[in-house]
Amino acid sequence: MATSKQLQFPAHGATALAARDGLAASPKRLPSWLFYDEAGSALFEQITELPEYYLTRTERCIFEAYAPEILRAAGPSLTLVELGAGTASKTCILIEELLQRQSRALFYPIDVSPTALHEAVNHLGRLFPNLRVNPIVADYTGGVEALTRISGRKLVLYIGSSIGNFEPDDSIRMLRRIRRNLRPGDALLLGTDMVKSQKVMVPAYDDAQGVTCEFNKNVLARLNRELGADFDLDRFRHVALWNKRCSRMEMHLESAVAQAVFLPDIDMDVSFAAGERIHTENSYKYTTEMVDAILRDSGFRLEHTWQDRQKWFGVHLARV
Ligand code: AVJ
């Protein structure tokens, strides 16, 4: 019997196109969205709990310390929307505070993963009987378009340093699209990781337990699973480095030896020189001046920034 794989050759799904494009490029690259299949999403959840990965913990601390201030600044009778909500675990803190200020609330978590949204709905439903949760399955583009169909005064959450994976130009384009779909009185809460010592940043992307290494190598494992490729994961090294000039952490996969890899489903042979890298991620780190600039360039006005004591992470309230 023909499997679905045999129906189309060469494969032309998103993974196939990304691999064909990125592995033919010089220098080689693969897009960071490839991290997030089921296995990769589970690994990312594990990363958020690592001692070296300060981002999630620090942003949660900021919410815990300043939720009343944040919601007071955002204004009365709000509907919450979260872009890339995942399981919305940090959002609980803001929702709890919101329900102190108003008796009922609406929450629209938007995410590509129905599994994650399902978990969010179950968890939040149990915690907050007065919260109505309306999940929306969509990518960023679809999610931003969905904003216009949500009535009432909105607070849009774009937290977790998700914006850090965008190139500066793309981040402005993304924020502009959000802005266009908001009305006067609506607000945006943006979470960004801040520039700090590389002694702190590098270990966050190269932890002692090797979880981030496994997360990075999962893109190769994914090409093996989805495209029948024969990447030998032991012959690639996880590399995390601070690119000061571009203000970003970078992740790469470095070929330990000269080798060739075959991707049968896209009929592609790829050869690697010893030490050659595949660039898999940029994670931009901001200064408050940079945050102010991207918000201004996209038509927002930065109203307030909350930070932890060490100023490692920033949560910014912006207005249309
Ligand atoms: C999910 C984009 C915020 O850039 O820190 C974690 C992804 N990469 N470890 C980040 C990630 C390596 C993460 N973001």
Side-chain angles (χ1 to χ4, degrees), residues 36 44 47 53 55 160-162 165 205 212 215 251 281 283:
Y36 302 97
F44 178 67
I47 287 174
Y53 196 75
L55 290 81
S161 185
S162 306
N165 278 166
Y205 291 82
T212 309
F215 174 72
M251 296 211 307
E281 185 183 46
S283 188

Side-chain angles (χ1 to χ4, degrees), residues 175-242:
L175 291 171
R176 233 179 240 154
R177 271 216 304 272
I178 296 175
R179 214 222 74 136
R180 267 208 305 274
N181 290 297
L182 295 181
R183 284 185 282 271
D186 292 347
L188 169 74
L189 196 68
L190 180 70
T192 62
D193 196 18
M194 310 305 282
V195 174
K196 65 186 67 60
S197 162
Q198 52 173 318
K199 289 200 188 77
V200 176
M201 293 188 290
V202 172
Y205 291 82
D206 192 8
D207 62 279
Q209 287 173 61
V211 183
T212 309
C213 169
E214 201 183 332
F215 174 72
N216 197 8
K217 288 187 178 182
N218 181 53
V219 304
L220 304 182
R222 183 170 179 180
L223 300 188
N224 288 350
R225 285 190 292 270
E226 292 184 23
L227 304 175
D230 60 357
F231 282 99
D232 177 351
L233 272 51
D234 294 332
R235 291 182 171 197
F236 285 86
R237 279 196 282 259
H238 167 65
V239 175
L241 58 90
W242 169 240

Side-chain angles (χ1 to χ4, degrees), residues 6-25:
Q6 288 165 315
L7 291 175
Q8 203 85 52
F9 180 83
H12 71 298
T15 306
L17 294 179
R20 223 178 28 205
D21 224 50
L23 296 177

Side-chain angles (χ1 to χ4, degrees), residues 1-8:
M1 200 178 79
T3 66
S4 60
K5 261 187 182 172
Q6 288 165 315
L7 291 175
Q8 203 85 52

Side-chain angles (χ1 to χ4, degrees), residues 270-290:
V270 185
S271 50
F272 291 87
E276 186 178 354
R277 290 172 178 177
I278 309 172
H279 188 171
T280 51
E281 185 183 46
N282 289 325
S283 188
Y284 282 87
K285 307 303 170 192
Y286 288 85
T287 61
T288 34
E289 291 73 29
M290 287 162 67

Side-chain angles (χ1 to χ4, degrees), residues 19 33 37 59 89 151 158-159 219 227 233 254 318:
W33 58 259
D37 61 356
E59 189 177 40
S89 66
S151 58
Y158 191 24
I159 58 179
V219 304
L227 304 175
L233 272 51
E254 183 178 286

